[in-house]
Amino acid sequence: MKIAFFDTKPYDKPSFDKYGEEYGVSFKYFEAKLNEDTVELANGYDGVCAFVNDTVNDKVIDKLSDMGVKILALRCAGFNNVDMKYAYGKIHVLRVPAYSPYAVAEHTIALLLTSIRRIHKAYIRSRDFNFSLSGLTGFDLHGKTIGVIGTGRIGRVFIDICRGFGMRVLAYDKFPLSEIDNGDTVRYVDLDELFAKSDIISLHCPLTEDTYHIIDAAALEKCKRSVVILNTSRGALVDAEALLEAIKSRKVGAACLDVYEEESDLFFEDNSGHILQDDTLARLISMPNVIVTSHQAFLTEEALENIAQTTVKNIVQFYETEQCPNELCYRCSGPKDCKDSKCF
Ligand code: NAI
């Protein structure tokens, strides 16, 4: 099987080469992102392997289908960059539903601690032999209330970590799991209560029509003064302009963003020699209480291994049996509880 691999980075190759060789799948690595301009590169391949910032819209799907490419193997969990409804009947979409919830949850807590204990400031100071503590006062996490939106794989690991710090958790999920709510330190509440009572809010839900800009000006208005916003899920969960205004007015005390709505042309690339055209991102990055990482939360050795192994197994399983448990079903916007494994 020959797979065209888009948006390749050096850290992708070792694990994909290893599992590709083991399972008899050969990858042709392209640095280009998959989009309307680059889709021709997939001509002659059995499938394509894409990542979070590749664009799989109607035109790309039509072209892949015309070229006889049967599968789109996403090497990620999220699939908001794929027009799932349009893909129905044209191409099979496989994904990696979970590869390391710990990687993302731990990165989220790393961002939070860095921010509220001012580690990013202290690191730069001490490298310049500036050992002053002025302006570095933080606050304890112990006893604080954290709002967690999305209690799936990552949200649940994140909640466990927060409980370890002695925090109270207010959770919100469209599909709550009764075993998570202990009626005391972890409680499901509605969004309004979560916004009103949380000192920190962390997003762990997918990007859907329901969750688009779930943190917007109206939501921020309902929050406590100095609330800390954490987003390691998808950029468009947060209205970045509204966040910027709330930071300027000091309604938001700090923000940690691993994702950004307009990240696709910027993140994962070295833009250090370029003039950044996105004024909102530039202004956010310039703030002393904002930390931005470039969609890095997934990037651990364990996650890369799991991503490669599951992606390769998905491809092999689909070609051998025409079925794969990690095939996405457009009808239920994902595999959640989809009883119809043969959607096509
Ligand atoms: P999951 O599918 O296990 O959990 C998502 C949870 O969100 C589910 O419990 C679901 O019921 C809930 N949900 C769905 N719609 C909702 C709504 N309207 N309001 C509130 N909750 C809703 O997914 P997992 O593995 O926990 O991942 C969560 C998100 O993390 C992914 O969707 C992805 O966007 C992001 N992610 C980010 C990575 C990074 O490197 N920054 C890496 C991997 C995932």
Side-chain angles (χ1 to χ4, degrees), residues 206-219:
L207 175 61
T208 64
E209 280 174 14
D210 288 349
T211 60
Y212 175 77
H213 285 185
I214 195 166
I215 301 292
D216 60 4

Side-chain angles (χ1 to χ4, degrees), residues 100-114:
S100 173
Y102 310 103
V104 182
E106 289 171 16
H107 189 79
T108 312
I109 214 77
L111 288 174
L112 175 60
L113 286 169
T114 302

